[in-house]
C-alpha cells in the first residue's frame, strides 16, 4: 500500500514540471525518462524474485545444491504441469480451498457479531474478556491435537481449527474498531437525538468497518497458513497433504509443485482481500 | 434589523437557573466543580456570545444546554420546558467539525435529516439547498478529508441548519481557521442568522469575535464558572467596518478588563492544581 502511494506521488512530480514548462521540446525531453523510469521501477520491483527463480534453476544444475533435494525450477514446474493435467492438483486445491473458505467464512460470521457485542456492551466485555485473553495467548497450533482428539481427523476438526485461528484477528480488531470510534462523532450524533441502536448502526458500525476489515484480511492469511499445518498432520487430501505425502514418498518435484501452488494461492488471496479492504476504507486518509 | 431585534425580542428562549455542574474525580472519588450557580437568560432570536478564561466551563455549559449531560443542581428550560436530553430543537457546531468521515458533504447534511425523520425523497434536495446556503454548491460529493478546514466547518454549519433547530449552539467553531476564512464565515453566519432568526449561543476565545458577532456578550468567571457580567452590545449601524467604530473599541476594552482579572485567577488556579498535594 505504502509503495503504491509513494509511486503515485513520485509520478506526479515530473508531470508538474512539464506543466510549468512551455510545450514542445520540454515534453519530449521529459517523456523518455518517464518510460525509462516506469520500466526501471518494474525491473527493480521484480529483480529479487527473478533472481531467486534464476538461482533456483542454475544452482542445482551447477550442483551447488544437491539436485535430488532441490531440483531445478523447470523440473518442478514440469511436475506441477503433470499434476495439473492428471487432475490431482485440482483435487487437492479444492479440498484445501473448501476448508479454508469454510473456516474463514464461519469466523467472519461468528467473530464480527461477537466482537461488536464485546466492544459495545461493557458487561459482555467484562464477562468474556478474561476468557478471551487466556485463549488468545494459547497458540492455535498447540490446540490442534485437542481438536483432532475431540473432533476426529475429518473435515470438522480442520474447519474448526481454521475457524478458531481466524477468529482472533477478526474478533480483536472488531472490538478495538468499536472501542476507538472518535468520541466527538458519538457526541455529535447523540446531540442529534440518535438513540443507542441508531447510533450503533449509523456511527459505530461504519466507523469500525476499516479496522474490522484489516482483521478480516489478517484472518485470510491465517486461514491458509494454519490449514496447511493441519493437513500435514493428518489428512487424505489437500495441498498440505500433497506436500507432506510427496516428501515422505520422495516425490520431491511434486512437493515443490505443492509449495509453489500454496504460495501463489496465498498471494492471490491476500491481493483480493486488500482490494476489497481498500474499497471499504476510501474515506480513511 | 439587528438593532430592532435586540430591543423588541425580550421573550426568554433558554433559561439557565442557578446551574451547578460537578464532575466526579476518578482517583480520589471527590467532586470537581466546573460550574457553580450559573444563571443566564437567552432571548428568543438573539445572538449571544460567551467568553471566559480557558477551563471555566463554557463547553460544559453548552453540553448542558444541548442535553448531553445533566446539571448537578439547578435547571435549564427551553421555551419553559426543562431540558431532559438532546433534541433536534438544538443544533451544535463543534470546533473540530465532527463530520462523519465516511460520508460525503451531502451525506453529512443528510444525516441530520435522517435523524429528524424527513422523508427520504426530500432529504437530498434540502441538503443541497443548505450546502448552497453556506456556499458549497459543487462540493456535495467530496469527503471531509478532501475539503479545507473552512469548508468542513461550513458543512457542519449546513448540517446543523438543515434540520431546522430553533437554537444553534456553537463551541469555538472558527477557532481553528485562519483569519480570512474566519472573517468570511463570521459574515456569512450573521447573514444566515438574520435570514433564519435563530437563537444562537456562540462560545469564543476572541474578544473581537465576541463583540463583532454578539448582541450581548456574556463574560464568565474563572472556574468554578459563573456569569460575571452580560454586556449589551449595540451599534448605531452595522453598515461599514464595524471594527473601526469607536464603540467597538470601548466594548472590546470593557470585556478585556472583565476578563483580565479572571484569566489571572485561572492561571493561579492551574498552578495550584499542578503542584502535587502532600
Ligand atoms: N467529563 C469531564 N470529567 C471531568 N472533568 C471535566 C469533564 N469535562 C470537563 N471537565 C473539567 O471541567 C472544567 C471546564 O471544562 P470546559 O471544557 O467546560 O472548559 P472550557 O471553558 O470550555 O475551556 P476551553 O476554553 O479551554 O475550551 C475543566 O477544568 C475540565 O477539566
Ligand atoms: Mg471548551
Amino acid at each position: 500500500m505504502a509503495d503504491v502511494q509513494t509511486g503515485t506521488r513520485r509520478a506526479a512530480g515530473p508531470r508538474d514540471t512539464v506543466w510549468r514548462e512551455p510545450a514542445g521540446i520540454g515534453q519530449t525531453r521529459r517523456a523518455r525518462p518517464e518510460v525509462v523510469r516506469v520500466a526501471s521501477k518494474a525491473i527493480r520491483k521484480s529483480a529479487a524474485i527473478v533472481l531467486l527463480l534464476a538461482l533456483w534453476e542454475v544452482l542445482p544444475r551447477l550442483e551447488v545444491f544437491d539436485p535430488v533435494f532441490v531440483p531445478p525450477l523447470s523440473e518442478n514446474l514440469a511436475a506441477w504441469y503433470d499434476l495439473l493435467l492428471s487432475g490431482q492438483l485440482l483435487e487437492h486445491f479444492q479440498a484445501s480451498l473448501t476448508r479454508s473458505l469454510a473456516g474463514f467464512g464461519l469466523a467472519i460470521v461468528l467473530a464480527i457479531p461477537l466482537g461488536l457485542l464485546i466492544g459495545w456492551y461493557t458487561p459482555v466485555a467484562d464477562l468474556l474478556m478474561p476468557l478471551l485473553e487466556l485463549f488468545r495467548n494459547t497458540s492455535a497450533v498447540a490446540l490442534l491435537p485437542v481438536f483432532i482428539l475431540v473432533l476426529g481427523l475429518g473435515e470438522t476438526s480442520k474447519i474448526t481449527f481454521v475457524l478458531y485461528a481466524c477468529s482472533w484477528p477478526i474478533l480483536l480488531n472488531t472490538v478495538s474498531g468499536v472501542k476507538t470510534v472518535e468520541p466527538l462523532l458519538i457526541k455529535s450524533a447523540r446531540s442529534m437525538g440518535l438513540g443507542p441502536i441508531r447510533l450503533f448502526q449509523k456511527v459505530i458500525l461504519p466507523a469500525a468497518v476499516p479496522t474490522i476489515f484489516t482483521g478480516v484480511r489478517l484472518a485470510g492469511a491465517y486461514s491458509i497458513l494454519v490449514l496447511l499445518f493441519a493437513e500435514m498432520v493428518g489428512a487424505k487430501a489437500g495441498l498440505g497433504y500433497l506436500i507432506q505425502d510427496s516428501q515422505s514418498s520422495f516425490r520431491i518435484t511434486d512437493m515443490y509443485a505443492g509449495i509453489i501452488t500454496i504460495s501463489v494461492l496465498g498471494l492471490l488471496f491476500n491481493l483480493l482481500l486488500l482490494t476489497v479492504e481498500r474499497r471499504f476504507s476510501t474515506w480513511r486518509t | 434589523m439587528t438593532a430592532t431585534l435586540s430591543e423588541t425580542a425580550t421573550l426568554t428562549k433558554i433559561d439557565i437557573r442557578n446551574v451547578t455542574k460537578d464532575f466526579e474525580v476518578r482517583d480520589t472519588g471527590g467532586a470537581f466543580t466546573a460550574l457553580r450557580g450559573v444563571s443566564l437568560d437567552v432571548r428568543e432570536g438573539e445572538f449571544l456570545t460567551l467568553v471566559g478564561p480557558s477551563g471555566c466551563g463554557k463547553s460544559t455549559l453548552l453540553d448542558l444546554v444541548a442535553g448531553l449531560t445533566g446539571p448537578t443542581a439547578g435547571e435549564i428550560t427551553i421555551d419553559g420546558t426543562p431540558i431532559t436530553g438532546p433534541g433536534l430543537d438544538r443544533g451544535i457546531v463543534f470546533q473540530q467539525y465532527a463530520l462523519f468521515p465516511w460520508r460525503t458533504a451531502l451525506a453529512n447534511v443528510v444525516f441530520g435529516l435522517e435523524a429528524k425523520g424527513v422523508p427520504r425523497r426530500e432529504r437530498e434536495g434540502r441538503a443541497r439547498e443548505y450546502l448552497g446556503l453556506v456556499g458549497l454548491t459543487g462540493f456535495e460529493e467530496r469527503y471531509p478529508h478532501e475539503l479545507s478546514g473552512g469548508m468542513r466547518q461550513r458543512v457542519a454549519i449546513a448540517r446543523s441548519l438543515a434540520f431546522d433547530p430553533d437554537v444553534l449552539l456553537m463551541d469555538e467553531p472558527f477557532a481553528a481557521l485562519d483569519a480570512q476564512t474566519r472573517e468570511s464565515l463570521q459574515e456569512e453566519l450573521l447573514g444566515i442568522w438574520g435570514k433564519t432568526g435563530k437563537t444562537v449561543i456562540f462560545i469564543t476565545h476572541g474578544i473581537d469575535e465576541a463583540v463583532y458577532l454578539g448582541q450581548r456578550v456574556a463574560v464568565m468567571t474563572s472556574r468554578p464558572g459563573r456569569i460575571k457580567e452580560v454586556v449589551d452590545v449595540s451599534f448605531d449601524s452595522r453598515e461599514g467596518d464595524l471594527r473601526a467604530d469607536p464603540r467597538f473599541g470601548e466594548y472590546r476594552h470593557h470585556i478585556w478588563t472583565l476578563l483580565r482579572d479572571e484569566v489571572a485567577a485561572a492561571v493561579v488556579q492551574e498552578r495550584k492544581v499542578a503542584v502535587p498535594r502532600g
Side-chain angles (χ1 to χ4, degrees):
Chain A
M1 212 165 170
D3 287 344
V4 175
Q5 276 168 355
T6 43
T8 49
R9 223 178 288 136
R10 246 184 254 145
R15 238 179 275 133
D16 286 348
T17 334
V18 171
W19 181 253
R20 269 184 242 108
E21 260 175 48
I25 322 157
Q27 268 176 342
T28 43
R29 214 199 305 137
R30 300 277 162 174
R32 210 184 312 130
E34 175 94 359
V35 174
V36 173
R37 209 172 38 75
V38 169
S40 83
K41 183 166 183 201
I43 290 168
R44 225 175 27 239
K45 289 218 141 193
S46 52
I49 290 178
V50 172
L51 184 70
L52 174 78
L53 298 180
L55 288 178
W56 193 353
E57 183 62 38
V58 175
L59 293 186
R61 289 198 186 282
L62 296 177
E63 307 223 335
V64 176
F65 290 143
D66 188 341
V68 176
F69 299 127
V70 188
L73 178 63
S74 54
E75 286 177 26
N76 297 319
L77 290 178
W80 185 86
Y81 191 61
D82 285 342
L83 281 174
L84 183 68
L85 287 187
S86 70
Q88 280 185 67
L89 193 66
L90 195 67
E91 183 198 320
H92 292 303
F93 184 80
Q94 258 177 355
S96 288
L97 200 65
T98 312
R99 290 165 185 154
S100 264
L101 289 182
F104 177 56
L106 282 172
I108 291 176
V109 172
L110 294 177
I112 292 180
L114 186 63
L116 295 176
L117 218 62
I118 293 172
W120 190 233
Y121 292 108
T122 321
V124 181
D126 290 344
L127 196 70
L128 292 182
M129 264 336 245
L131 200 65
L132 295 183
E133 278 301 320
L134 182 70
F135 275 99
R136 174 167 89 110
N137 290 302
T138 311
S139 157
V141 172
L143 287 175
L144 181 59
V146 181
F147 281 102
I148 293 175
L149 208 60
V150 176
L151 299 168
L153 272 171
E155 297 303 297
T156 321
S157 77
K158 288 185 192 61
I159 292 172
T160 315
F161 181 59
V162 174
L163 161 68
Y164 178 85
C166 287
S167 293
W168 295 109
I170 301 178
L171 189 69
L172 297 172
N173 271 45
T174 307
V175 172
S176 99
V178 172
K179 281 202 186 273
T180 55
V181 177
E182 169 66 46
L184 185 64
L185 295 183
I186 298 177
K187 192 172 170 181
S188 169
R190 282 218 305 132
S191 80
M192 287 184 258
L194 265 70
I197 294 174
R198 288 213 297 163
L199 184 69
F200 187 80
Q201 175 198 348
K202 287 183 182 262
V203 180
I204 309 291
L205 208 53
V209 161
T211 317
I212 295 176
F213 219 89
T214 304
V216 169
R217 183 165 53 79
L218 280 173
Y222 281 12
S223 74
I224 292 173
L225 221 68
V226 300
L227 174 69
L228 210 68
F229 180 74
E231 286 176 344
M232 284 181 163
V233 172
K236 288 281 162 287
L239 292 169
Y241 166 77
L242 173 68
I243 294 167
Q244 182 68 26
D245 184 54
S246 329
Q247 193 251 17
S248 55
S249 51
F250 225 73
R251 287 179 283 117
I252 300 300
T253 50
D254 283 3
M255 179 188 86
Y256 283 110
I259 294 173
I260 291 168
T261 312
I262 210 74
S263 61
V264 171
L265 173 68
L267 208 64
L268 290 179
F269 202 35
N270 196 46
L271 218 58
L272 177 76
L273 289 170
L274 255 180
T275 315
V276 182
E277 183 182 7
R278 265 192 223 144
R279 290 207 54 150
F280 271 111
S281 28
T282 41
W283 54 267
R284 266 224 283 214
T285 37
Chain B
M1 182 186 168
T2 313
T4 36
L5 256 179
S6 68
E7 276 155 28
T8 55
T10 46
L11 228 64
T12 298
K13 180 73 185 176
I14 296 166
D15 190 5
I16 301 168
R17 257 315 119 241
N18 223 348
V19 162
T20 295
K21 177 69 185 178
D22 293 341
F23 289 109
E24 230 174 83
V25 181
R26 227 175 306 139
D27 21 322
T28 63
F32 175 94
T33 307
L35 298 171
R36 179 173 293 153
V38 176
S39 292
L40 180 66
D41 280 356
V42 184
R43 300 168 190 159
E44 176 97 54
E46 86 166 318
F47 200 125
L48 180 96
T49 50
L50 186 63
V51 295
S54 182
C56 75
K58 301 180 294 293
S59 299
T60 305
L61 186 60
L62 209 73
D63 281 357
L64 288 168
V65 175
L68 290 165
T69 53
T72 312
E75 191 181 49
I76 306 177
T77 59
I78 180 163
D79 296 322
T81 325
I83 289 172
T84 54
L88 289 160
D89 53 344
R90 286 148 286 153
I92 312 189
V93 179
F94 297 96
Q95 179 183 337
Q96 308 88 339
Y97 323 125
L99 297 177
F100 301 108
W102 57 89
R103 286 179 168 237
T104 59
L106 186 73
N108 261 287
V109 180
V110 164
F111 189 96
L113 302 173
E114 289 170 6
K116 196 179 185 182
V118 172
R120 190 176 291 274
R121 283 171 293 108
E122 293 169 31
R123 287 177 203 157
E124 196 183 313
R126 211 154 125 187
R128 281 183 193 282
E129 182 189 320
Y130 278 91
L131 280 175
L133 185 70
V134 297
L136 281 182
T137 304
F139 292 93
E140 290 87 351
E141 300 309 324
R142 295 276 193 101
Y143 283 92
H145 75 263
E146 298 168 327
L147 297 171
S148 72
M151 288 167 152
R152 288 181 209 176
Q153 198 53 289
R154 285 166 206 260
V155 176
I157 292 171
R159 180 175 66 184
S160 287
L161 288 171
F163 57 80
D164 199 23
D166 294 342
V167 181
L168 214 50
L169 306 172
M170 308 183 89
D171 194 348
E172 303 189 32
F174 305 152
L177 306 175
D178 63 275
Q180 274 105 347
T181 312
R182 184 183 314 134
E183 277 182 25
S184 72
L185 276 176
Q186 286 170 349
E187 205 67 50
E188 277 175 42
L189 181 63
L190 281 179
I192 290 166
W193 170 68
K195 261 186 268 176
T196 56
K198 297 196 186 301
T199 308
V200 181
I201 303 180
F202 187 106
I203 296 177
T204 175
H205 263 125
I207 301 177
D208 279 9
E209 185 170 63
V211 174
Y212 181 71
L213 291 174
Q215 291 175 300
R216 295 195 301 154
V217 180
V219 181
M220 286 181 76
T221 66
S222 60
R223 192 183 60 78
R226 279 174 298 103
I227 302 296
K228 181 167 184 163
E229 189 175 320
V230 181
V231 181
D232 271 292
V233 175
S234 69
F235 295 100
D236 301 331
S237 141
R238 288 192 72 95
E239 303 293 308
D241 185 3
L242 204 62
R243 292 174 178 93
D245 193 311
R247 300 190 65 179
F248 190 92
E250 286 165 28
Y251 288 128
R252 195 184 179 291
H253 181 72
H254 179 51
I255 291 162
W256 182 83
T257 315
L258 287 172
L259 271 175
R260 185 186 49 192
D261 305 338
E262 297 307 325
V263 170
V267 170
V268 170
Q269 217 171 40
E270 261 165 37
R271 285 221 193 97
K272 254 190 249 158
V273 174
V275 173
R277 260 169 287 168

